[in-house]
Amino acid sequence: MPGPMSGVRVVELGFWVAGPSASGVLADWGAEVVKIEPPDGDPFRGLYLAAAGAEVPANPPFELDNRGKRSIALNLRTEDGRGIANQLIDRADVFVTNVRPEILESFGLDDARLRARNPRLVYARVTGYGESGPERDRPAYDIGAFWSRAGIAAALMPPGGDPPYQRGALGDHVAGMTLAGGVAAALLAREKNGTGQMVTTSLLRVGVFVLGWDTSATLRLGIPATPMTRTTTPNPVISCYRAGDGRWFWLLGLQGQRHWPDLLRAVERPDWLEDPRFATMRSRRENCPELVRLLDEIFATRALVEWGAIFDRAGMWWAPVQTTEDVIRDPQAIAAGAFVDVPQADGTNIPGVASPVDFSVDRWQPQGPVPEVGQHTEEILLELGYDWEAIAGLKERGAIP
């Protein structure tokens, strides 16, 4: 199953998540991805192990974004190392990076130079804060540029509470998928005009877009994104509640007036149809604390499995609040293709999270395991035309480990 990107050559110079996740998706889709790493490797290789404890035998987050790639270890501070990088990129279709622009320029790996050498190259870059402006070179992680600065944390912060902490790589993975889509569009454009181009996104831009409903309302109407709680939501028919067994769930009555009768059938309160406190969306908004209190009392009388069956019979839309332990056992997540077997070097498979796009004809599967640092250095150099004597010289001069 080669995937729709079969035959596309990608060179990645990326660290941590945003850049590697973009080329990781392209690798899942069948692209041949060479990951350029410094001699001591992508720093993300060791962070999870250090945080989780030395006894942890694997680095699942790194595996997700780097499976199926080949790794070449290069010292880009040497002339030889930069020369090898240029050779790789000269024959590539796509260059993916999330290294800061001024560092790329110092290595001679900026867009203008690389595309002058290879006019068909699609140069794809994700930054923290964009390609221009006074802070374009500010260092960033997604919890800063995407979560904090783009307004997401503030929009989710309960009144008087602390800003919520982001789970790892939420913004990075959205940015990675965004960049992968941009690469696909640029490759399509190249089929029409024969030339490559630069494709960019940023964690800040992605964050603003993710919060786009609220940000658009602020732009157009001056309405700020006001954090909501269960008792201050404008529509308590789309909110979270807890069943009698302690499990949380969400009611999904986005069209509040449409779903209100369905909910009342489920909770056996037809009298609320005429109750002036709750008869309209406006009255339910104005009396949200009282309605939530009454619903809490009702939902506390049954376990979630019972409520789920009742909601389904009544036509009330809902969803359980699940942990990751619940999700990996969820029959629907499994059937939807959320997980995939990743082949390992010893012929076995390990479970992994799937890339979130499927194709009906050009089906994909993971191309292989995550590489060790520099695992394919000599193999790739031989493909570039180096012989063993030249490779030995590169080692002596410190260009490769």
Side-chain angles (χ1 to χ4, degrees), residues 64-143:
L64 171 60
D65 298 317
N66 292 281
R67 64 193 180 207
K69 301 176 183 179
R70 294 195 295 168
S71 170
I72 182 171
L74 296 178
N75 181 356
L76 295 179
R77 292 182 173 85
T78 68
E79 184 177 351
D80 286 327
R82 294 191 296 274
I84 295 167
N86 277 315
Q87 286 179 273
L88 282 169
I89 299 167
D90 283 348
R91 68 174 199 160
D93 298 290
V94 182
F95 177 63
V96 174
T97 186
N98 63 328
V99 175
R100 280 184 283 160
E102 77 273 19
I103 297 175
L104 292 167
E105 289 166 8
S106 72
F107 290 149
L109 299 177
D110 52 283
D111 169 63
R113 293 186 204 181
L114 292 186
R115 288 202 300 117
R117 296 173 58 102
N118 178 3
R120 289 177 55 80
L121 181 70
V122 172
Y123 188 111
R125 180 162 67 197
V126 55
T127 64
Y129 295 103
E131 296 292 327
S132 59
E135 297 182 58
R136 77 160 200 161
D137 294 327
R138 178 181 289 278
Y141 294 115
D142 65 340
I143 198 169

Side-chain angles (χ1 to χ4, degrees), residues 270-354:
D271 54 301
W272 286 356
L273 278 173
E274 306 300 329
D275 190 319
R277 297 173 300 170
F278 311 134
T280 66
M281 287 191 65
R282 179 172 181 177
S283 63
R284 289 193 291 276
R285 181 176 69 247
E286 293 171 347
N287 294 284
C288 182
E290 176 67 5
L291 179 56
V292 169
R293 182 186 67 81
L294 293 172
L295 288 173
D296 280 345
E297 291 176 356
I298 294 172
F299 291 139
T301 62
R302 299 175 187 268
L304 180 56
V305 65
E306 297 177 73
W307 281 118
I310 291 170
F311 293 148
D312 288 344
R313 286 196 300 270
M316 183 63 214
W317 299 3
W318 69 285
V321 174
Q322 298 198 138
T323 67
T324 52
E325 292 173 305
D326 298 324
V327 171
I328 64 174
R329 295 189 294 263
D330 186 334
Q332 185 55 45
I334 295 168
F339 312 109
V340 67
D341 290 330
V342 182
Q344 300 300 290
D346 61 3
T348 62
N349 292 311
I350 62 172
V353 174

Side-chain angles (χ1 to χ4, degrees), residues 75 78-81 84 386 389-400:
N75 181 356
T78 68
E79 184 177 351
D80 286 327
I84 295 167
Y386 290 80
E389 182 178 353
I391 291 172
L394 291 171
K395 290 183 178 182
E396 291 175 2
R397 295 191 294 275
I400 61 174

Side-chain angles (χ1 to χ4, degrees), residues 2-12 22-23 25-34 68-70 88 91-96 120-124 180 183-188 190-191 367:
M5 286 287 177
S6 177
V8 174
R9 290 178 170 178
V10 178
V11 175
E12 171 205 307
S23 52
V25 169
L26 298 175
D28 272 355
W29 293 350
E32 174 195 322
V33 179
V34 173
K69 301 176 183 179
R70 294 195 295 168
L88 282 169
R91 68 174 199 160
D93 298 290
V94 182
F95 177 63
V96 174
R120 289 177 55 80
L121 181 70
V122 172
Y123 188 111
V183 166
L187 288 173
L188 176 61
R190 192 181 72 175
E191 289 299 305
Q367 303 299 302

